[in-house]
Amino acid sequence: MRAAFLGLGIMGRPMAASLVKAGHEVTVWNRSAGKEVPGARAAATPREAAEGVEVVWICVSDTAAVEQVLFGENGVEGALKPGMIVVDSSTISPLETREFARRVGERGAEYVDAPVTGSKAGAETGQLIFMAGGSEETIEKLKPLWTAMGKSLFRMGDVSMGQASKLGMNLMIALTYEGFAEGLALTGKLGVKPDALMPLIQASMVRSGVIDYKAPFVLRRDFSPNFPLRLMHKDIQLMLDAAREQRVKLPGLETVAEIYDIAAEEGHDDLDYAATLTLLEKWAGVEVKGTAA
Ligand code: NAP
């Protein structure tokens, strides 16, 4: 297929590379210069990238960035034609997603929200999981593209249900990780070695995909970003906004949000979100370190 890929960050660049590898004709665009994808044509603006393609796939930071790329100066809007499909794999507001879909629809184009889970490793290995909102027919047309980037796609309902599901998924990830981090801090302070704790976790019902993914990084003290703390912080704000709108009380998330506020104040924004552990360690006066460190 002829596709434009907009946003070449931690996730977008390997996703676009997977499309090229699968033989699609790809044009890429990134806000700042210097990010490229071998085998893809580079465009100067989102509009230029979107000219003449069948699908425009977006993966940028947040709601404001998606709005800018779609409807800002030299945005995708100017190139939209009936039958084109816009897909957004950023994690953004479900409510704004409906508005973006409405505006894209005014030009005769279709809209699918398709946020992802699987993080940097999933993007680099083409093993992402998509959770999509949009019509069944439109999502079916996208199959050659999402199968190049991911291992599965779940249709969650109409437009915005992908984003709504993603907020729930990341809520569970943030709280699961925080539980792991607090468990490490407490057992560490009590004198349990993390290398002894890990096999116990793996053998028990505590085991989870989140811990499987994060533990090796944490135990070797590698807090370089797979999923930057600033982005999980942004997602937590989206969850709390949605909870306020829908009158849902989330006391666990409200507490975790405070930890992220402090982590941001202390300058940890560009580390991985696993770095919230370092605050717990500082408060407890303990450092959790495996022999791998
Ligand atoms: P990232 O590495 O920080 O990349 C962000 C991208 O957005 C960059 O290409 C950046 O351009 C672009 N951008 C930011 N503001 C923009 C604006 N106003 N206009 C145009 N482009 C803008 O982030 P990422 O990890 O790839 O994440 C991208 C999205 O996927 C986020 O919504 C995130 O929540 C979601 N996500 C991430 C993960 C993960 O594990 N990393 C997993 C699932 C979902 P520049 O290069 O110019 O800064």
Side-chain angles (χ1 to χ4, degrees), residues 82-161:
M84 269 171 74
I85 307 173
V86 172
V87 189
D88 180 27
S89 280
S90 326
T91 304
I92 69 162
S93 155
L95 273 187
E96 293 295 323
T97 290
R98 281 184 225 164
E99 179 58 14
F100 297 161
R102 188 191 63 73
R103 293 175 69 182
V104 163
E106 281 177 355
R107 303 277 174 149
E110 295 164 83
Y111 193 98
V112 172
D113 49 304
V116 294
T117 191
S119 205
K120 186 183 176 188
E124 287 175 347
T125 55
Q127 294 289 302
L128 290 169
I129 297 172
F130 292 88
M131 52 209 96
S135 83
E136 277 179 44
E137 196 191 343
T138 310
I139 290 171
E140 184 58 31
K141 286 186 206 157
L142 297 169
K143 199 168 181 182
L145 299 182
W146 69 255
T147 49
M149 298 183 279
K151 62 179 174 186
S152 45
L153 179 146
F154 293 81
R155 179 175 177 266
M156 308 309 296
D158 291 333
V159 163
S160 85
M161 290 300 112

Side-chain angles (χ1 to χ4, degrees), residues 31-69:
R31 178 182 58 174
S32 39
K35 293 184 184 171
E36 287 149 19
V37 173
R41 190 178 75 84
T45 65
R47 180 181 177 154
E48 186 193 313
E51 295 286 358
V53 302
E54 296 158 273
V55 177
V56 177
W57 209 292
I58 304 171
C59 190
V60 292
S61 303
D62 54 20
T63 309
V66 174
E67 181 166 27
Q68 179 70 32
V69 164

Side-chain angles (χ1 to χ4, degrees), residues 171 175 236 239-240 242-244 248-256:
L171 188 159
L175 266 59
I236 290 173
M239 295 165 206
L240 292 174
R244 264 190 298 275
V248 178
K249 192 144 179 59
L250 302 173
L253 185 68
E254 281 172 17
T255 305
V256 169

